[in-house]
Amino acid sequence: MLSVLRVHLPSDIPIVGCELTPYVLLRRPDKTVTTDDVPESAPIDGHFLRYKWYRIQSDRKVAVCSVHPSEQATLQCLGCVKAKIPVAKSYHCSPKCFSDAWQHHRVLHDRAASAVNENGNEEEELFGRFNSSGSGVINASLSGSASSPSLINGSAPLYPAAVTQRSGGETWFEVGRLKTYTPTADDIGHVLKFECVVVDAETKLLVGHPSTLLTSRVIPAPSPSPRRLIPVNGADVMGHLDSDGRISSSGTFTVLSYNILSDMYATSETYSYCPSWALSWPYRRQNLLREIVGYRADIVCLQEVQNDHYDEFFAPELDKHGYQALYKRKTNEVYNGNTHIIDGCATFFRRDRFSHVKKYEVEFNKAAQSLTDAILPSAQKKNALNRLVKDNVALIVVLEAKFSNQGADNPGKRQLLCVNILNSGRFKTLVYSSWIVLPAQSYKILCQANTHVNVHQDLKDVKLWQVHTLLKGLEKIAASADIPMLVCGDFNSVPGSAPHALLAMGKVDPMHPELAVDPLSILRPHTKLTHQLPLVSAYSSFARMGVGLGMEQQRRRMDPATNEPLFTHCTRDFIGTLDYIFYTADSLTVESLLELLDEESLRKDTALPSPEWSSDHIALLAEFRCKPRPRR
């Protein structure tokens, strides 16, 4: 007979908005063990499983600490209550907790006061889950029985609640009848109970005793302070995302680049400082989705997207928000883990803003094979490929804008875009051709590259070779069709490195120290390490902007020596800039940039990832406008 052997939850703390799917171990009638579901529609040997979820609601009000959400609160900030901010932000578990958090907590008060003065609750639109907070001072003690503001903040249960039992000051509300349950705001501060029982399919009677488990108290999903768009085109006022996610202008578009930290790399050994519940994929995927959707970018370039997460989560979820998806998984020649799970680059674009013209997939492994075939004798190929074949890829997408950049559209002429994408001297790998319509007076086509360069710090020659290979391919596209170009991604190269110099300056100084490491002679002659694309780093605009609200704060988060952010990647062991958005300055101008984060605010959680920010990188976003096309 079908029987339940064990039930448990993979995550120790339930969070609002994050699915709970218990692990249920079953023994089939043939004595085999499985974790497969057995629904009423497909019983086994006349039996199926029935599930129920309950909220155990105590007569005693329980509040959760906003800093340590697994702890019960004992203090409340009266300033937050007075300012009518979400009550969950006001609770702390101890005087020390409140004192330690005050410097960051006060920022919420200051920003909220400024936001209310400037634009009411407009900041709430950025993430859709953060309300303005006001200024005020501390705090009231919470006794166990003291009345406190309601923790229910508007969400209705997914399943109609019904009182099923009351005992010892506790009331059990049935909230779900599926195996998976997603906690709502009504559940905050309460324990959930999961019940699984075998049922006779014919009589509908229970067989044996139910298997149950109790969760910890449900906590609210931490909500980071919204990041604002800051104009860099000479405006002296702060920019905010409108209801469509963009500064109202028909001729601009926004581009987001974000390494989201693949789940297979997010181990507790590597990120031991991050709470296990905040490192779990069910939590991180929801938090990442909220953040990405909140930016409302027209083009979204993500790195470290697992192929299964792309298929099962990001593509369908972002499709609901109007995005078309394109994906390039890494090749797996050197991947030693589960060959069915590997990460890659994903590019999404809003269907109402762009249409897809062409997609190019760049596999650096193929380029490495072509290179070694061309320059090395057979005896040396194996060692060379061991160094060069690192699985990295790039995804290049040609898009056509559905909006006008420069007034009314003008009829264009058809141009042939015929590209040997990696035909750079010795490399001849991928060949594509297509017709593209180019308007006569304004750019309607743009090329978006999304890449993740090799991470190993002892392979600086390989990093530079990958970047050089990508740029030569993009040069071919630029020569065949005069269109704006954007190059985004995680380049795993700090400002001042040889790859960064090649991107930003168009060449590498022959005396650059990183050129000394070239055991395969793939970087020689050094004079070939050039390109003709007029690329500029979007975030360098912060270093060139005038005086204005918020400008000085952003300058302090920039490195004056390199005109790049002080960091885009922050862990306990490393902090620095690895991510960039480059654009062709002859065809595009930067209108606005997403504000940078300060290290101090992140260090309150030690580093990234954290309960607030679910990657070890930060997102970069730039708003661009196309320049008028030169007349010819």
Side-chain angles (χ1 to χ4, degrees):
M1 186 181 70
L2 188 69
S3 60
V4 178
L5 298 178
R6 182 187 178 199
V7 296
H8 78 92
L9 282 171
S11 180
D12 53 345
I13 298 178
I15 304 120
V16 170
C18 297
E19 291 181 350
L20 293 174
T21 303
Y23 175 89
V24 179
L25 187 64
L26 304 173
R27 177 178 285 128
R28 295 172 179 267
D30 61 3
K31 305 303 181 183
T32 59
V33 175
T34 181
T35 58
D36 293 339
D37 195 12
V38 184
E40 185 174 3
S41 59
I44 294 179
D45 196 27
H47 296 84
F48 66 93
L49 293 180
R50 176 179 293 168
Y51 308 106
K52 286 189 179 182
W53 285 91
Y54 301 93
R55 180 197 311 131
I56 303 177
Q57 197 155 318
S58 173
D59 292 343
R60 183 170 63 91
K61 297 290 185 179
V62 176
V64 177
C65 176
S66 61
V67 179
H68 307 99
S70 60
E71 301 294 329
Q72 185 172 330
T74 61
L75 298 175
Q76 185 175 29
C77 174
L78 292 181
C80 292
V81 176
K82 184 178 180 181
K84 300 179 181 179
I85 71 165
V87 69
K89 290 280 189 182
S90 66
Y91 292 120
H92 297 269
C93 57
S94 68
K96 184 178 186 303
C97 168
F98 184 82
S99 177
D100 291 345
W102 172 244
Q103 186 171 1
H104 303 287
H105 187 84
R106 182 177 58 186
V107 173
L108 297 178
H109 292 210
D110 295 342
R111 288 193 63 168
S114 174
V116 169
N117 288 337
E118 293 177 15
N119 62 352
N121 289 332
E122 188 171 310
E123 285 193 8
E124 183 180 0
E125 296 173 356
L126 185 57
F127 284 102
R129 57 194 176 96
F130 177 86
N131 290 322
S132 300
S133 55
S135 59
V137 288
I138 46 184
N139 61 52
S141 294
L142 294 174
S143 65
S145 60
S147 64
S148 60
S150 173
L151 290 177
I152 299 175
N153 53 18
S155 299
L158 299 179
Y159 184 84
V163 178
T164 59
Q165 186 175 344
R166 181 173 176 82
S167 174
E170 291 183 342
T171 304
W172 292 16
F173 290 91
E174 183 182 326
V175 292
R177 291 186 179 178
L178 299 176
K179 184 178 182 180
T180 296
Y181 177 69
T182 303
T184 71
D186 295 332
D187 300 319
I188 293 175
H190 302 298
V191 171
L192 298 175
K193 178 182 178 180
F194 172 71
E195 180 180 281
C196 173
V197 64
V198 177
V199 178
D200 186 294
E202 183 177 351
T203 66
K204 300 299 188 290
L205 297 177
L206 306 187
V207 178
H209 297 287
S211 297
T212 63
L213 62 79
L214 297 178
T215 71
S216 302
R217 296 186 186 277
V218 177
I219 65 173
S223 52
S225 300
R227 295 169 64 188
R228 292 175 288 187
L229 275 177
I230 299 180
V232 295
N233 59 357
D236 58 357
V237 295
M238 193 73 71
H240 296 273
L241 299 177
D242 64 16
S243 59
D244 290 324
R246 295 177 292 275
I247 291 179
S248 299
S249 176
S250 61
T252 66
F253 64 94
T254 51
V255 178
L256 173 75
S257 183
Y258 198 4
N259 181 325
I260 62 171
L261 179 58
S262 172
D263 182 48
M264 59 185 172
Y265 305 139
T267 65
S268 56
E269 291 77 19
T270 303
Y271 304 103
S272 58
Y273 50 84
C274 184
S276 60
W277 60 266
L279 200 57
S280 69
W281 181 242
Y283 171 73
R284 290 204 307 119
R285 72 174 188 174
Q286 294 295 340
N287 205 35
L288 287 166
L289 182 66
R290 280 193 293 262
E291 181 184 0
I292 293 166
V293 170
Y295 293 132
R296 302 287 183 90
D298 295 307
I299 302 172
V300 176
C301 296
L302 303 182
Q303 302 87 43
E304 286 196 22
V305 181
Q306 286 183 201
N307 61 315
D308 55 332
H309 295 164
Y310 171 81
D311 292 332
E312 299 168 8
F313 184 71
F314 284 109
E317 289 298 323
L318 287 173
D319 177 71
K320 298 174 185 176
H321 294 274
Y323 287 94
Q324 183 170 332
L326 297 165
Y327 183 68
K328 175 58 183 173
R329 59 174 283 171
K330 289 182 180 178
T331 46
N332 56 11
E333 281 86 341
V334 297
Y335 185 65
N336 296 320
N338 184 342
T339 56
H340 299 294
I341 300 176
I342 195 165
D343 68 295
C345 297
T347 298
F348 305 84
F349 59 90
R350 293 175 68 99
R351 288 186 293 265
D352 62 336
R353 301 279 285 171
F354 291 97
S355 59
H356 176 218
V357 175
K358 202 70 180 176
K359 169 187 175 183
Y360 305 103
E361 296 182 347
V362 180
E363 296 182 2
F364 294 112
N365 286 5
K366 289 184 178 180
Q369 185 68 55
S370 298
L371 172 63
T372 55
D373 288 345
I375 69 172
L376 294 176
S378 299
Q380 299 177 19
K381 284 184 181 179
K382 182 176 180 180
N383 288 337
L385 288 174
N386 284 339
R387 186 173 185 86
L388 291 174
V389 172
K390 296 304 175 187
D391 228 17
N392 302 93
V393 297
L395 175 60
I396 304 173
V397 180
V398 179
L399 302 173
E400 180 174 7
K402 294 183 178 181
F403 56 91
S404 172
N405 290 307
Q406 299 291 332
D409 293 345
N410 296 292
K413 59 181 180 179
R414 296 172 73 88
Q415 291 189 5
L416 178 64
L417 172 60
C418 185
V419 181
N420 249 348
I421 191 66
L422 292 181
N423 184 8
S424 176
R426 301 157 179 156
F427 317 136
K428 296 182 180 180
T429 308
L430 304 177
V431 180
Y432 299 92
S433 64
S434 65
W435 287 97
I436 290 180
V437 178
L438 294 180
Q441 300 300 324
S442 65
Y443 294 101
K444 291 279 285 183
I445 305 291
L446 65 86
C447 180
Q448 173 70 67
N450 178 12
T451 191
H452 190 185
V453 172
N454 185 250
V455 67
H456 298 290
Q457 295 305 308
D458 57 343
L459 297 176
K460 298 184 185 301
D461 57 320
V462 178
K463 292 177 189 283
L464 180 55
W465 170 75
Q466 288 182 350
V467 171
H468 181 252
T469 299
L470 174 61
L471 290 172
K472 285 302 177 182
L474 292 173
E475 270 191 327
K476 293 288 183 179
I477 296 177
S480 298
D482 180 21
I483 57 177
M485 291 203 165
L486 292 150
V487 187
C488 300
D490 176 0
F491 290 86
N492 274 308
S493 303
V494 298
S497 64
H500 180 265
L502 181 60
L503 284 159
M505 306 300 294
K507 61 182 180 180
V508 181
D509 188 327
M511 301 305 293
H512 196 290
E514 291 182 10
L515 297 183
V517 181
D518 187 16
L520 302 178
S521 299
I522 58 175
L523 306 178
R524 300 172 190 167
H526 297 158
T527 53
K528 78 174 184 180
L529 297 175
T530 63
H531 68 87
Q532 300 303 313
L533 300 173
L535 294 179
V536 176
S537 174
Y539 270 79
S540 67
S541 299
F542 271 151
R544 301 189 298 270
M545 62 188 181
V547 178
L549 182 63
M551 304 297 190
E552 193 57 40
Q553 182 185 63
Q554 295 307 305
R555 283 202 189 93
R556 290 195 297 268
R557 298 172 185 177
M558 297 286 292
D559 182 352
T562 63
N563 287 341
E564 294 287 5
L566 290 173
F567 71 90
T568 63
H569 180 265
C570 179
T571 64
R572 182 169 53 193
D573 304 319
F574 173 84
I575 183 168
T577 293
L578 303 175
D579 310 86
Y580 307 92
I581 299 176
F582 284 95
Y583 67 98
T584 47
D586 63 340
S587 54
L588 296 169
T589 59
V590 180
E591 296 284 302
S592 309
L593 293 168
L594 187 66
E595 67 179 332
L596 297 167
L597 298 178
D598 66 287
E599 181 182 358
E600 184 181 4
S601 68
L602 301 181
R603 290 301 186 191
K604 74 178 189 298
D605 293 309
T606 303
L608 298 177
S610 68
E612 286 189 335
W613 306 101
S614 289
S615 175
D616 52 354
H617 293 249
I618 66 171
L620 301 179
L621 183 145
E623 181 190 28
F624 295 98
R625 183 185 297 276
C626 288
K627 292 181 176 179
R629 288 175 58 85
R631 295 182 180 273
R632 301 190 176 183

